[in-house]
Amino acid sequence: MQEIIIVAAAATLGNLLIGWDSSTIAGGMGYIKREFKLDPTVEGMIVSTSFFTGTIVTIFSGKVSDMIGRRPMLIGSSIMFFLSGLAMLWAPNVAFIVFSRLLDGIGIALAVTITPVYISEIAPPEIRGLLNTLPQFSCSLGMFLAYIWMFSMSLLESPSWRAMLGVVSIPSVAYFFLVVFFLPESPPWLVSKSRISEARKVLQRIRGQEDVSGELALLAEGMNPGGESTIIEEYIITPAGSTEQISNMESAKDYIKLYGPNQGVSMIAHPISSVHGGGSILALSRQGSVAGQATAGLKDPIVNLFGSMHESDHHHHHHDLAAQRIDQGSFGTHHDNLQAPLLSRQSSSVVDRSRFYKRSSSIKGSNGNLAAQGETATKATNIGGGWQLAYKAVDGKKEGGFQRLYLHADPSIGAGSQHGSFVGNSGTDLQLALERGESFQAAALVSQSVLALNKDNTIKPEAVANKGSGWGALLEPGVKRALIVGIGLQALQQAAGINGFLYYAPQILEEAGVGALLSSFGITETSASLLVNVIITFSMLPCIALSMKLMDIAGRRALLLNTIPILIVSLSVLVLRDSFPMSSIVNAAVTATCVIVYESIFCMGFGVIPNIICAEIFPTSVRGICISICALTFWISTLIVTSSFPFLLHQIGLTGVFSLFVCGCIIAWVFVYTKVPETKGMPLEVIIEFFAIGAKPGADPATMAS
């Protein structure tokens, strides 16, 4: 994992420069104003230039990155930051300052739009959330370092704003060299351009292993989401034994051979049931909690679909299940009261299952070498997050082409061999079962594969047809549903009031007398407000670090649902503080605490999660365009909030504006609860498949659960 963490951290240097830039312009503006005797219009123009260029660049950046790659965009970003810093260092007049901000806006837009996509595409599912929280951490670190720099400069006799703002050129040179000489191109993008051998080399480097055929095949399959044609099947699976056993099974009609990527038969599957069109896919439970059933109806089918997946993982994690012991060839009873089998089961299938377990236990007995074979199979088929990729011939005939299967162990049933039941979360269960040569029950998303079989009975992702990369692909039901989630999150992030806060926090704190309190320690008002910002940005860092830790454990959705209420409380305290008599010192302390709590908690959840989710839910072929649409929503929403803030402040006062932000937070919470699914620990290709299935009518497990 070390290599991938270093690559992701290097990619976020651009975000550090964004944080540095936003803080230095906020702090340096006062000095520029004094030197050039600016009126408010010109001042507004200097601050907003980067904003407007950023918005325009965002429109094109996604589509261009789909065409020329992610890496060139990051190189472009580093060059823009470098030139912007040089222009600012020299700046003889206002026009030059505006030009510098224009270049700066291009650098910001490229880094903001492309970094999350790049990290999502290179990260393994298990730590994708953690790595995608790095840009936010870098940005806040940049702000913190910039405020320290500004504060120390402000203590000088005659501070130079040119030095304050131009220093950005130095780290941007480091950023440039890292991107050019160290960062690889994104493997999914390379596969989308049929540059398979390059993608293989990159994967071997960042995964630190020689055999990456499973992930390569997965990336190829990701170019062509199954969507409407996907069906859900349920199997009991045993790792394949010797060639002799496989040929013996040819005669048994209810066995299906599953091929691993780049290898022959790797697993034997026994079908239990099949659910066409996602009818009752991943049923929430047979006897789930009444409250759970009642609230499920309020949520989008997609939220229930993803939720049932994680719920079954969660329940499995907390129950050391009684094993269905099969070493004597008997099949234990399934506990009906356990929550969330991955698929709703038909009672008749129990008979099939017990018969199969008897057979599979005798297979195990006849081949002591099975566990070793299972181990090699699982290395190629494992695609992360407890999912495996396998292939089966259509109607058992290789000429008819292949279907791909995304397999996930059903955690509510463990087939326990001499090892007892599998314990732990299902991310490792399925892999362990394969390595030990155990049988396990699994659900499979089955759809037509884009790959073909080679003469040596192996499947290799050498030729990939990239389906639908144009604007038309945006109209597919799964992509449309994902766009609703992405656009909604970006717009509501601004409705929660963060930009009003960032721009006006110094003013709010000054009105509450925090500056006056600090200036009694003998520092100027300007230095005092910079010092407050040092404290605020410093308190963000541990919160983001905690968020990194929780992002792949608790998950994105849970973090949002638990942090938004804290934002509501801190905003409400700011709204209501005037209603209570307080001494000026208490008022200053309460205000400062609310501002710090709001900004820190915002960074933990709402500040970082919309970008993470947006980088996960779109198909590779249109990911760039979709990210551009979401980023554009962000820029436009920011523009609306920041431009209307002074007007609203004048009309309804600070208390009124904060009341609006409270409403924004409440709407955001409801939107997350009803529309935003949990994507932690799942391969991107599986997330995309889920959106495609969940967007179909009748795909809601809450209404279909039997």
Side-chain angles (χ1 to χ4, degrees):
M1 291 286 183
Q2 191 179 352
E3 180 80 2
I4 189 77
I5 291 169
I6 296 168
V7 167
T12 62
L13 242 180
N15 299 79
L16 185 127
L17 299 179
I18 293 170
W20 178 278
D21 175 82
S22 65
S23 299
T24 48
I25 194 70
M29 212 51 225
Y31 299 107
I32 296 173
K33 215 158 50 175
R34 283 201 285 278
E35 181 170 326
F36 294 108
K37 301 182 176 55
L38 301 180
D39 60 49
T41 320
V42 180
E43 186 190 343
M45 192 168 76
I46 290 173
V47 174
S48 60
T49 303
S50 64
F51 200 85
F52 285 113
T53 50
T55 310
I56 293 160
V57 170
T58 300
I59 298 171
F60 304 104
S61 62
K63 182 68 180 164
V64 174
S65 83
D66 282 345
M67 286 156 55
I68 67 167
R70 320 301 189 207
R71 202 167 146 266
M73 308 300 274
L74 295 177
I75 293 172
S77 170
S78 66
I79 293 169
M80 289 304 156
F81 278 122
F82 176 69
L83 295 175
S84 154
L86 282 187
M88 204 50 109
L89 260 178
W90 189 58
N93 52 34
V94 174
F96 239 81
I97 295 174
V98 172
F99 175 65
S100 163
R101 299 288 298 155
L102 189 137
L103 296 173
D104 193 58
I106 300 172
I108 290 174
L110 294 177
V112 161
T113 315
I114 306 302
T115 310
V117 178
Y118 179 76
I119 292 176
S120 272
E121 290 182 342
I122 61 167
E126 294 81 0
I127 57 165
R128 192 175 58 233
L130 182 149
L131 294 181
N132 243 333
T133 314
L134 278 173
Q136 179 72 39
F137 187 82
S138 282
C139 185
S140 294
L141 183 64
M143 289 168 79
F144 172 60
L145 295 173
Y147 277 122
I148 288 180
W149 168 249
M150 305 282 285
F151 174 65
S152 48
M153 292 279 288
S154 75
L155 299 175
L156 299 174
E157 281 295 305
S158 53
S160 158
W161 60 265
R162 286 182 178 83
M164 284 182 178
L165 295 165
V167 126
V168 77
S169 288
I170 299 166
S172 63
V173 173
Y175 181 37
F176 174 80
F177 282 112
L178 273 173
V179 178
V180 172
F181 295 110
F182 184 67
L183 262 59
E185 184 50 272
S186 144
W189 182 82
L190 289 169
V191 170
S192 75
K193 299 294 176 202
S194 299
R195 289 156 63 175
I196 305 294
S197 57
E198 289 174 64
R200 180 181 282 110
K201 281 184 192 135
V202 172
L203 284 172
Q204 284 168 338
R205 179 190 146 191
I206 61 178
R207 298 288 180 261
Q209 61 189 54
E210 207 46 44
D211 183 10
V212 289
S213 49
E215 193 167 354
L216 261 183
L218 174 71
L219 296 179
E221 296 295 359
M223 296 300 129
N224 194 358
E228 305 246 337
S229 63
T230 303
I231 61 167
I232 317 303
E233 295 181 343
E234 196 176 23
Y235 299 104
I236 290 167
I237 288 183
T238 301
S242 64
T243 323
E244 186 189 341
Q245 284 169 351
I246 293 166
S247 54
N248 288 345
M249 287 181 180
E250 305 255 302
S251 54
K253 285 183 183 169
D254 54 355
Y255 284 100
I256 299 168
K257 290 190 284 192
L258 299 184
Y259 299 83
N262 212 14
Q263 56 187 33
V265 179
S266 65
M267 295 178 257
I268 304 295
H270 169 70
I272 298 172
S273 61
S274 141
V275 184
H276 285 265
S280 61
I281 173 183
L282 311 178
L284 279 174
S285 67
R286 299 211 274 180
Q287 295 179 334
S289 67
V290 179
Q293 292 289 343
T295 56
L298 303 172
K299 299 178 200 165
D300 192 292
I302 288 175
V303 176
N304 291 325
L305 205 61
F306 279 84
S308 59
M309 246 287 324
H310 295 294
E311 204 169 296
S312 56
D313 282 359
H314 171 77
H315 269 75
H316 186 51
H317 196 61
H318 288 285
H319 289 277
D320 182 353
L321 295 179
Q324 288 88 357
R325 303 198 66 81
I326 58 170
D327 25 4
Q328 287 85 33
S330 63
F331 178 70
T333 56
H334 166 55
H335 295 279
D336 259 356
N337 60 346
L338 285 171
Q339 183 113 2
L342 207 59
L343 280 154
S344 60
R345 265 178 287 285
Q346 297 152 4
S347 53
S348 62
S349 65
V350 174
V351 182
D352 300 336
R353 211 181 282 131
S354 62
R355 192 182 66 208
F356 175 77
Y357 277 128
K358 282 175 188 167
R359 277 192 221 166
S360 68
S361 65
S362 66
I363 293 166
K364 254 184 269 180
S366 67
N367 184 10
N369 191 28
L370 194 56
Q373 294 193 355
E375 201 163 335
T376 42
T378 182
K379 281 196 176 77
T381 58
N382 178 35
I383 54 173
W387 291 82
Q388 304 277 331
L389 170 66
Y391 294 88
K392 66 172 184 176
V394 177
D395 302 325
K397 299 182 188 70
K398 291 169 190 167
E399 301 77 47
F402 275 78
Q403 288 182 314
R404 65 161 178 254
L405 287 79
Y406 295 136
L407 292 164
H408 191 278
D410 183 337
S412 62
I413 289 197
S417 63
Q418 66 275 22
H419 299 282
S421 66
F422 333 97
V423 188
N425 82 3
S426 63
T428 52
D429 291 342
L430 202 149
Q431 207 166 339
L432 281 173
L434 279 170
E435 286 175 11
R436 291 171 180 166
E438 292 177 356
S439 302
F440 59 89
Q441 183 155 336
L445 305 179
V446 183
S447 52
Q448 191 60 35
S449 169
V450 294
L451 308 180
L453 189 73
N454 296 309
K455 287 181 181 135
D456 60 352
N457 261 9
T458 61
I459 292 172
K460 289 184 183 168
E462 298 307 344
V464 184
N466 188 355
K467 170 193 153 191
S469 59
W471 294 96
L474 299 181
L475 299 174
E476 288 178 17
V479 179
K480 273 201 294 197
R481 192 65 66 92
L483 275 170
I484 292 169
V485 172
I487 289 171
L489 280 174
Q490 295 289 1
L492 288 165
Q493 184 195 49
Q494 292 310 308
I498 186 64
N499 267 310
F501 237 93
L502 287 176
Y503 293 133
Y504 293 92
Q507 194 179 322
I508 296 162
L509 292 169
E510 211 163 292
E511 282 172 16
V514 175
L517 199 68
L518 284 170
S519 60
S520 61
F521 295 119
I523 50 177
T524 64
E525 288 265 338
T526 313
S527 296
S529 79
L530 288 169
L531 184 60
V532 170
N533 280 313
V534 169
I535 296 163
I536 290 174
T537 48
F538 178 71
S539 59
M540 288 177 184
L541 298 176
C543 288
I544 300 168
L546 177 64
S547 171
M548 274 182 180
K549 179 131 184 61
L550 293 174
M551 199 61 72
D552 294 305
I553 300 170
R556 295 80 160 124
R557 179 182 160 85
L559 267 176
L560 281 176
L561 293 176
N562 288 301
T563 54
I564 295 174
I566 302 173
L567 303 183
I568 295 171
V569 170
S570 51
L571 284 168
S572 303
V573 171
L574 285 175
V575 169
L576 300 171
R577 71 196 159 132
D578 296 338
S579 319
F580 300 98
M582 283 187 280
S583 72
S584 62
I585 291 179
V586 174
N587 186 24
V590 167
T591 306
T593 306
C594 285
V595 169
I596 289 170
V597 167
Y598 178 91
E599 292 196 11
S600 306
I601 298 296
F602 190 92
C603 279
M604 261 187 84
F606 228 157
V608 62
I609 293 170
N611 280 350
I612 294 181
I613 290 180
C614 287
E616 292 176 327
I617 58 179
F618 302 113
T620 308
S621 53
V622 289
R623 192 170 288 135
I625 299 178
C626 293
I627 292 280
S628 275
I629 293 169
C630 294
L632 196 58
T633 309
F634 164 81
W635 287 101
I636 293 168
S637 310
T638 309
L639 186 62
I640 293 167
V641 171
T642 45
S643 56
S644 60
F645 198 95
F647 171 74
L648 289 170
L649 210 56
H650 182 68
Q651 294 293 320
I652 54 178
L654 205 54
T655 310
V657 174
F658 281 2
S659 307
L660 287 178
F661 289 158
V662 170
C663 298
C665 284
I666 292 168
I667 294 167
W669 192 92
V670 172
F671 178 81
V672 172
Y673 183 77
T674 54
K675 294 283 181 199
V676 179
E678 182 53 78
T679 55
K680 67 172 178 185
M682 295 172 73
L684 296 179
E685 292 71 17
V686 175
I687 294 172
I688 293 155
E689 204 80 19
F690 266 60
F691 264 94
I693 298 167
K696 285 189 289 190
D700 191 348
T703 54
M704 304 297 289
S706 50

